[in-house]
Amino acid sequence: SAVISQKPSRDICQRGTSLTIQCQVDSQVTMMFWYRQQPGQSLTLIATANQGSEATYESGFVIDKFPISRPNLTFSTLTVSNMSPEDSSIYLCSVYGTSTYEQYFGPGTRLTVT
Amino acid sequence: DQQVKQNSPSLSVQEGRISILNCDYTNSMFDYFLWYKKYPAEGPTFLISISSIKDKNEDGRFTVFLNKSAKHLSLHIVPSQPGDSAVYFCAASENTGNQFYFGTGTSLTVIP
């Protein structure tokens, strides 16, 4: 299984600022996924990031708010822009496992916006 | 609209007994179902899965049952151990496997 690390593990940010979350995988992968888990809610897919192309965003998520970079096959960043308290969530990146039916997750980044 | 639902936010079970975690879904196009376990400060880890062509899949102490007509799946853990205490998420996907839909999780506590 892939080993996934995320930075930072947690942060407390002021309203109106931006935070960039990094995701590093120990093997080359084509697709990386970014999820959000708001308090008491399920994991929700934000976007799919393919290396060399624009990220694909799910309904309700836009590039201006959540810009994503995918500079190579082992790394991706998600930026949460112009933050508000509603952005307080756990943000997780994931990759496919041995098949596209399974995903492995990073440890998550716990974001609190004050 | 929540397509995958876990209606029990928490469950407590005595060590050695059976834990049964339930999950319901609404989308009849889902054909693959997974259970993930999540410890605090860690990401979810894959536990067990089942394809819609089966009604049961077993892996050691963990068994997942699928009732397609009822759009219901359950995870059985027997015997339950204190190390099983975690939040369990069920997830479902259609045949492309790209979009996973997660439930809100059930927090299991196994009491020694």
Side-chain angles (χ1 to χ4, degrees):
Chain A
S1 63
V3 176
I4 305 170
S5 60
Q6 286 184 233
K7 290 182 182 179
S9 59
R10 59 176 60 222
D11 207 343
I12 301 173
C13 300
Q14 299 275 356
R15 178 196 302 259
T17 63
S18 298
L19 176 71
T20 296
I21 302 168
Q22 300 178 8
C23 179
Q24 180 77 50
V25 188
D26 70 342
S27 57
Q28 294 184 338
V29 294
T30 304
M31 300 173 79
M32 295 178 74
F33 306 91
W34 286 99
Y35 284 83
R36 178 175 77 178
Q37 185 187 11
Q38 293 178 301
Q41 304 295 315
S42 61
L43 283 76
T44 302
L45 182 65
I46 298 171
T48 302
N50 289 329
Q51 195 270 334
S53 63
E54 293 286 330
T56 302
Y57 289 83
E58 299 301 316
S59 176
F61 298 96
V62 295
I63 187 171
D64 290 346
K65 176 67 176 176
F66 298 102
I68 288 172
S69 78
R70 185 76 205 276
N72 58 52
L73 291 173
T74 63
F75 188 79
S76 178
T77 66
L78 169 76
T79 299
V80 187
S81 303
N82 188 24
M83 288 184 284
S84 67
E86 291 71 34
D87 295 319
S88 297
S89 297
I90 298 174
Y91 292 85
L92 302 111
C93 65
S94 74
V95 301
Y96 281 134
T98 53
S99 77
T100 56
Y101 285 114
E102 299 168 5
Q103 290 190 357
Y104 295 106
F105 288 85
T109 295
R110 183 179 293 272
L111 171 62
T112 303
V113 183
T114 60
Chain B
D1 183 31
Q2 193 76 16
Q3 298 192 55
V4 178
K5 299 178 182 178
Q6 294 175 257
N7 292 319
S8 298
S10 63
L11 174 68
S12 290
V13 172
Q14 206 71 31
E15 181 179 5
R17 306 294 291 269
I18 185 171
S19 296
I20 300 176
L21 296 95
N22 294 304
C23 180
D24 297 293
Y25 61 96
T26 57
N27 188 345
S28 59
M29 297 302 292
F30 287 149
D31 64 353
Y32 201 79
F33 305 88
L34 310 92
W35 284 94
Y36 283 84
K37 180 169 71 173
K38 184 182 185 300
Y39 292 118
E42 295 183 12
T45 56
F46 171 73
L47 189 59
I48 192 170
S49 63
I50 188 167
S51 163
S52 61
I53 63 173
K54 295 184 175 182
D55 54 19
K56 176 183 174 181
N57 189 27
E58 190 172 353
D59 183 2
R61 296 186 297 114
F62 303 91
T63 303
V64 56
F65 295 92
L66 176 62
N67 182 335
K68 291 184 289 294
S69 61
K71 295 190 179 67
H72 177 85
L73 66 155
S74 60
L75 174 68
H76 292 211
I77 306 173
V78 56
S80 300
Q81 299 173 354
D84 297 328
S85 297
V87 177
Y88 290 79
F89 292 94
C90 66
S93 71
E94 298 183 30
N95 58 11
T96 61
N98 196 16
Q99 168 74 300
F100 284 68
Y101 297 87
F102 285 83
T104 52
T106 296
S107 177
L108 173 65
T109 301
V110 179
I111 304 165

